[in-house]
């Protein structure tokens, strides 16, 4: 992830690394908005590669033009800027943005998105005394360019070199395992107060267990839904997932406390020391955190992890983006119109290259975004023929989309026949997670679905040798990315798109923005690209939005920044 440019010895070696910063920060700034606000973000790409930022969990109602993935947008060339404009319509909750192309998330470039309740809709808990965004991630000493080359060549990423908390870490919890002088993250708190912690796993492929010494985590929200409030000692957070916890500062501050993120469900003994540790510091603390780290669950206990996931439920009586209770959308009573059983299996060779497939298809990224091909009626860029089940045929590369039925109600079952946890994510929607279990899904599995308070969210984990079922109401016209959030799987083709067309009202989708960048078969439409931070067309003005509530206007500059890391797990040769 982090491009290492030089290193030297101080007893333990330390390294300067290049990460992708946003406005000079790593992690980037939080976009702090309220339901229905319009967001105008001018992105300047000061990297040496094309860039797209995507807004994980933002639904972009009828506006997939702003989604920032390869199927909807041309990459923003190095040295260019581009302005995204979207509304966070009918949403609340905790999300994040990140660079969607070329394995760049492994180098950073991410930041939080917080969507607050409107004043007219009370939170389903007392207003917290503070709001804190935390990113946890696995970390490799190799840069993202080297990592993606490895992945292309079928070289397994192996166990991570470390776990970061907000881009740094760990605190020196063990003198033998962690060398001196490593920057670590500290969260300052006041005794007696309650904070909302928004925790995001922005890593490459490692599931992480999050916990705080001597403190409970009261789960209150995940990816835009208020949950039944339950206290956990720790929470498994899979790649691409986001959770909000209320944490009460109810300890006597005899010391600081450890905040820990450690790997889950990785079968490896070489992980000793690769633990992320930050510090919870009370203003009246009597001294540094000490003693052993709080216990993790058994590393390989998938049953624990699945039971915990099943215990997360929707608070059907809480209002969220709208005043009526979340549960007034009775998803369990809606008739399913389309069923897809989507199979993940281990990497396979296709045309001599290592690829990942879903139902035997590995996504081929056309040079013309799907959305552009649709707009300009260019035939042959994609097909609407993604199979509803695994077919008996050899795996292949293809640009095959799900033909979603507008206003239909789709059931998707993800079946994971590989050895690692995968997280599957759908843009443009929240889906209801209605069931997960070990073994092979059958029609009979529906009997155990949660038809009442399954939580609506934008991502779900699928355990190895297990399945997860989701239901989604296809009410948002557009072309929407369905992907593995695990970067290695995604990079090798584990994605597809769901096309949802409203046949009745042609104009219901927001039109193509004036500032669209063209590429592929349409690149002749693109004007001059030479000038640094040249903009590719007039920006449509913010007042093209109907019902403006409020606007957040920000400029985000993506650059490589230098940051210092050390080898902190004692197996250390520089790469
Ligand atoms: C986010 O914005 C809300 C109101 O718009 C404000 O009350 C809150 O303090 C802000 N949060 C942060 C972390 O800046
Ligand atoms: C691009 O950035 C320049 C400043 O560097 C700014 O003047 C221009 O408005 C931006 N273009 C858009 C529309 O994002
Ligand atoms: C604070 O708590 C620790 C253990 O939880 C205990 O050992 C210590 O005596 C307590 N200190 C005070 C001042 O209450
Ligand atoms: C862990 O790996 C070892 C050897 O690599 C293997 O023998 C063992 O079965 C694995 N355990 C699990 C639970 O996967
Ligand atoms: C559900 O939300 C309501 C607010 O509408 C809140 O009072 C209640 O405590 C929540 N219930 C649970 C179990 O979290
Ligand atoms: C896609 O589905 C729509 C109905 O939602 C149907 O009218 C259309 O023919 C389908 N297209 C293809 C290529 O199957």
């Amino acid at each position: 992830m982090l491009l290492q440019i030089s290193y030297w010895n101080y007893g333990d070696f330390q390294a300067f690394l290049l990460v992708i910063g946003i406005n000079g920060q790593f992690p980037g700034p939080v976009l702090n908005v309220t339901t229905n606000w319009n967001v105008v973000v001018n992105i300047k790409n000061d990297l040496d590669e094309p860039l797209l930022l995507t807004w994980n969990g933002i639904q972009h109602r009828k506006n997939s033009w702003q989604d920032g993935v390869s199927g909807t947008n041309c990459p923003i060339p190095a040295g260019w800027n581009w302005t995204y404009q979207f509304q966070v319509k009918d949403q609340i909750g905790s999300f994040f943005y990140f660079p969607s192309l070329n394995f760049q998330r492994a180098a950073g470039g991410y930041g939080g998105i917080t969507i607050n309740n409107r004043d007219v809709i009370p939170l389903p808990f007392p207003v917290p005394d503070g709001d804190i965004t935390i990113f946890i991630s696995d970390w490799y000493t190799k840069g993202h360019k080297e990592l993606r080359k490895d992945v292309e060549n079928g070289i397994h990423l192996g166990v991570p070199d470390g776990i970061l908390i907000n881009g740094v870490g760990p605190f020196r919890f063990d003198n033998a395992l962690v060398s001196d002088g490593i920057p670590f993250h500290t969260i300052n708190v006041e005794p007696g107060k309650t904070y909302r912690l928004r925790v995001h796993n922005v890593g490459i492929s490692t599931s992480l267990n999050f916990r705080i010494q001597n403190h409970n985590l009261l789960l209150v929200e995940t990816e835009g839904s208020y949950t039944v409030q339950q206290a956990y000692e720790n929470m498994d957070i899979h790649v691409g997932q986001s959770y909000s916890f209320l944490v009460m500062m109810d300890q006597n501050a005899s010391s600081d406390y450890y905040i820990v993120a450690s790997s889950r469900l990785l079968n490896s003994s070489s992980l000793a020391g690769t633990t992320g540790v930050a510090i919870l510091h009370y203003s009246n603390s009597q001294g540094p955190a000490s003693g052993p780290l709080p216990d993790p669950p058994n590393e390989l206990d998938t049953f624990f992890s699945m039971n915990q996931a099943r215990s997360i439920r929707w608070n059907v009586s809480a209002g969220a983006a709208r005043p009526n209770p979340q549960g007034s959308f009775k998803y369990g009573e809606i008739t399913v119109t389309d069923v897809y059983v989507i199979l993940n299996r281990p990497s396979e060779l296709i045309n001599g290259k290592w690829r990942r497939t879903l139902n035997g298809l590995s996504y081929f990224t056309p040079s013309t975004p799907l959305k552009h091909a649709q707009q300009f009626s260019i035939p042959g860029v994609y097909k609407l023929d993604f199979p509803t089940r695994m077919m008996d045929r050899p795996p292949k590369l293809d640009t095959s989309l799900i033909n979603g039925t507008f206003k239909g109600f789709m059931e998707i079952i993800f079946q994971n026949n590989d050895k690692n946890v995968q997280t599957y994510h759908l843009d443009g929607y929240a889906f209801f997670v209605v069931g997960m279990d070990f073994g092979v899904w059958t029609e009979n599995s529906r009997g155990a679905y949660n038809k009442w308070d399954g939580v609506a969210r934008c991502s779900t984990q699928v355990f190895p040798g297990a399945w997860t079922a989701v239901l989604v109401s296809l009410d948002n016209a557009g072309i929407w990315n369905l992907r593995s959030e695990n970067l290695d799987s995604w990079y090798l083709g584990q994605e597809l798109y769901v096309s949802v067309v409203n046949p009745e009202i042609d104009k219901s989708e927001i039109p193509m923005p004036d500032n669209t960048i063209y590429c592929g078969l349409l690149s002749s439409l693109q004007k001059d690209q030479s000038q640094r931070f040249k903009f590719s067309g007039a920006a449509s003005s913010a007042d093209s939005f109907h019902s403006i509530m409020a606007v957040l206007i920000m400029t985000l500059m993506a650059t490589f920044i230098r940051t210092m890391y050390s080898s902190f797990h004692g197996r250390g040769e520089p790469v």
Side-chain angles (χ1 to χ4, degrees):
M1 111 197 230
L2 312 163
L3 195 65
Q4 218 164 327
I5 53 174
S6 66
Y7 42 82
W8 55 90
N9 273 306
Y10 290 109
D12 295 296
F13 81 82
Q14 297 190 311
F16 283 105
L17 307 151
L18 290 182
V19 298
I20 298 175
I22 303 289
N23 296 356
Q25 299 171 39
F26 170 57
V30 174
L31 307 188
N32 182 25
V33 295
T34 297
T35 305
N36 295 344
W37 278 29
N38 293 305
V39 179
V40 178
V41 186
N42 179 7
I43 305 284
K44 300 185 175 188
N45 177 9
D46 201 21
L47 306 176
D48 60 1
E49 303 187 308
L51 172 75
L52 280 177
L53 286 190
T54 192
W55 320 90
N56 208 66
I58 302 302
Q59 291 176 8
H60 302 293
R61 306 295 303 176
K62 301 176 187 169
N63 194 7
S64 52
W65 298 109
Q66 306 292 327
D67 201 24
V69 287
S70 70
T72 60
N73 296 77
C74 294
I76 305 166
W80 279 43
N81 60 332
W82 196 66
T83 301
Y84 288 86
Q85 295 191 5
F86 55 87
Q87 192 183 11
V88 291
K89 192 163 167 50
D90 284 336
Q91 291 197 263
I92 55 99
S94 311
F95 308 100
F96 60 95
Y97 59 86
F98 70 91
S100 67
L101 303 176
N102 293 327
F103 229 80
Q104 287 165 350
R105 191 177 78 214
Y110 47 77
I113 305 174
T114 293
I115 311 181
N116 301 290
N117 274 37
R118 291 182 283 157
D119 288 341
V120 293
I121 305 167
L123 287 167
F125 43 82
V127 176
D129 298 301
D131 196 304
I132 296 167
T133 296
I134 298 176
F135 295 99
I136 57 179
S137 61
D138 53 8
W139 171 61
Y140 293 81
T141 52
K142 287 180 180 176
H144 72 283
K145 294 178 185 175
E146 205 176 338
L147 286 173
R148 76 185 178 222
K149 193 150 283 170
D150 281 357
V151 168
E152 280 168 18
N153 293 330
I155 299 170
H156 195 265
L157 292 173
V159 297
D161 297 307
I163 308 290
L164 306 184
I165 299 184
N166 280 0
V168 289
F171 170 79
R172 197 174 193 193
F173 65 96
D174 181 322
N175 287 352
L177 290 172
V178 185
S179 54
D180 202 6
I182 294 175
F184 57 88
H185 191 70
T186 299
I187 293 175
N188 292 305
V189 295
E190 298 290 331
K193 299 207 161 165
T194 297
Y195 296 80
R196 179 170 182 175
L197 268 49
R198 302 176 192 257
V199 189
H200 310 275
N201 183 339
V202 288
I204 298 174
S205 73
T206 310
S207 297
L208 298 173
N209 181 265
F210 181 81
R211 54 198 186 274
I212 305 179
Q213 187 181 26
N214 287 13
H215 292 74
N216 272 326
L217 306 170
L218 184 71
L219 177 69
V220 293
E221 179 256 344
T222 181
E223 298 166 13
S225 284
Y226 291 116
T227 62
V228 168
Q229 294 163 28
Q230 295 180 99
Y232 294 86
E233 282 177 19
N234 60 71
M235 178 64 70
D236 285 343
I237 307 183
H238 304 278
V239 174
Q241 297 195 312
S242 304
Y243 289 96
S244 288
F245 306 104
L246 296 185
V247 181
M248 210 206 285
M249 300 307 148
D250 56 3
Q251 296 299 298
N252 69 12
S254 53
S255 69
D256 292 347
Y257 300 93
Y258 299 123
I259 301 170
V260 180
S262 60
S263 73
R264 285 288 287 147
L265 313 174
L266 269 187
N267 184 11
S268 173
S269 57
S270 53
L271 275 165
T274 51
T275 300
V277 184
I279 290 300
L280 186 71
H281 174 74
Y282 280 54
S283 59
N284 60 340
S285 168
Q286 305 294 300
S290 62
L293 298 179
D295 286 336
N298 179 341
E299 170 81 25
L300 294 178
D301 189 350
T302 322
F303 289 90
F304 171 93
S305 203
M306 186 182 284
N307 282 337
Q308 188 183 61
R310 285 174 173 155
S311 73
I312 299 169
R313 287 174 300 124
W314 218 22
N315 182 339
V316 291
S317 66
R322 291 169 181 267
N324 50 333
Q326 295 180 128
S328 48
F329 186 81
K330 298 199 183 330
Y331 69 85
E333 295 173 7
I334 304 173
T335 306
V336 167
T337 55
D338 310 75
V339 182
Y340 283 82
V341 182
I342 299 184
L343 178 74
N344 166 46
R345 56 183 190 191
S347 307
E348 47 205 311
L349 276 174
I350 303 179
N351 307 332
K353 298 226 186 272
W354 285 104
R355 302 287 303 183
R356 301 284 305 210
T357 59
L358 291 171
N359 279 359
L361 296 180
S362 188
Y363 184 74
F364 173 79
T365 306
S367 60
T368 311
L370 312 172
K371 195 70 194 146
H372 292 190
Q374 182 194 50
Q375 175 81 12
F376 291 87
S377 304
I378 303 172
V381 174
Y382 62 83
K383 288 172 282 182
L384 291 168
D385 64 352
F386 191 83
T388 57
R389 310 264 165 149
M390 183 72 200
M391 293 167 82
D392 185 16
R393 62 182 185 190
K396 61 174 179 179
L397 285 176
D398 213 344
T399 309
S400 175
L401 277 56
I402 288 182
N403 185 18
T405 311
F406 183 68
K407 296 261 163 95
F409 198 60
M410 187 180 283
E411 176 183 12
I412 306 175
I413 297 100
F414 297 101
Q415 177 80 48
N416 183 355
N417 284 7
D418 197 5
K419 293 200 173 108
N420 305 311
V421 184
Q422 297 284 326
T423 304
Y424 292 101
H425 167 94
L426 178 59
D427 282 351
Y429 292 97
F431 48 54
F432 296 92
V433 182
V434 295
M436 57 177 77
D437 206 348
F438 295 102
V440 175
W441 181 88
T442 67
E443 309 271 331
N444 291 336
S445 307
R446 291 194 178 113
Y449 280 6
N450 177 349
K451 296 232 167 174
W452 166 239
D453 63 357
V455 75
R457 58 189 304 176
C458 62
S459 74
T460 186
Q461 68 273 55
V462 189
F463 293 100
W467 56 267
T468 299
V470 304
L471 296 173
V472 57
S473 173
L474 298 182
D475 57 357
N476 190 16
I479 291 187
W480 301 108
N481 190 232
L482 174 61
R483 61 173 174 266
S484 171
E485 290 279 39
N486 301 53
L487 273 187
D488 46 347
S489 305
W490 185 12
Y491 190 69
L492 291 183
Q494 208 168 79
E495 67 177 314
L496 60 111
Y497 285 79
V498 182
S499 170
V500 181
V501 176
N502 179 347
E504 277 146 29
I505 316 153
D506 275 337
K507 299 254 149 56
S508 81
E509 273 191 68
I510 290 177
M512 187 176 77
D514 298 343
N515 62 358
T516 298
I517 296 176
Y518 298 98
C519 55
L521 296 170
L522 294 169
S523 40
S524 62
L525 298 179
Q526 186 58 49
K527 297 182 198 108
D528 166 39
Q529 309 187 356
S530 57
Q531 197 187 313
R532 193 164 183 74
F533 294 131
K534 185 172 176 66
F535 188 63
S536 62
S540 44
S541 61
D543 57 27
S544 66
F545 288 109
H546 41 279
S547 75
I548 290 184
M549 303 287 294
V551 187
L552 171 76
I553 300 178
M554 275 184 96
T555 299
L556 297 183
M557 163 92 94
T559 53
F560 285 116
I561 55 175
R562 259 155 59 104
T563 178
M564 193 181 72
Y565 284 99
S566 302
S567 163
F568 43 71
H569 54 88
R571 73 183 158 107
E573 289 310 311
V575 213

